[in-house]
Amino acid sequence: QVQLVESGGGLVQAGGSLRLSCEASGSAFNINARRWYRQAPGKQRELVAAITSGGSIIYADSVKGRFSIFGDNAANTLYLQMNSTKLEDTAVYYCNLAIIHSSDYGPVNYWGRGTQVTVSS
């Protein structure tokens, strides 16, 4: 059983910064990949940033140079640092972890409930 809890969302003025956190709790597990998604009203959920199974870091073009993803593996915590925010960053942000439970099956995706980020002018 794995549970993810996001925190750090809120209201920020355009150009300002926020740091989102995602803490995973439960029994011991093997994390294969770590991701942040977001979904704005009327739009599809999109990948914002990810740490792949091989340790590579990827970003959506819309956030490159502004956001960074990093984690504290010992604490099972994933972060999204949001700098130079824009109005279009307004969305619900979701943490996603891909976890391997068995060598016989692929990773299982776990999702947090989401945290609202609102960027104002």
Side-chain angles (χ1 to χ4, degrees):
Q1 182 69 42
V2 178
Q3 296 182 355
L4 308 180
V5 179
E6 301 102 334
S7 62
L11 179 66
V12 62
Q13 286 191 312
S17 298
L18 285 176
R19 179 177 290 182
L20 306 184
S21 300
C22 171
E23 184 174 359
S25 62
S27 59
F29 43 80
N30 180 12
I31 300 176
N32 183 254
R34 305 158 175 85
R35 310 178 184 97
W36 284 98
Y37 288 80
R38 69 185 181 187
Q39 187 166 25
K43 300 182 67 177
Q44 286 188 286
R45 184 174 299 187
E46 65 174 342
L47 178 67
V48 177
I51 303 173
T52 71
S53 60
S56 298
I57 299 176
I58 60 175
Y59 296 99
D61 289 340
S62 59
V63 307
K64 285 181 179 177
R66 301 188 299 115
F67 292 6
S68 62
I69 183 173
F70 59 97
D72 181 345
N73 293 336
N76 288 329
T77 303
L78 181 68
Y79 300 94
L80 182 69
Q81 179 67 42
M82 305 169 58
N83 297 326
S84 302
T85 55
K86 302 177 180 180
L87 293 178
E88 53 263 41
D89 294 325
T90 295
V92 177
Y93 285 72
Y94 299 90
C95 174
N96 169 261
L97 300 183
I99 296 175
I100 298 175
H101 294 292
S102 171
S103 61
D104 296 328
Y105 300 94
V108 177
N109 284 310
Y110 294 86
W111 295 86
R113 295 171 60 189
T115 184
Q116 176 71 48
V117 172
T118 302
V119 182
S120 68
S121 60

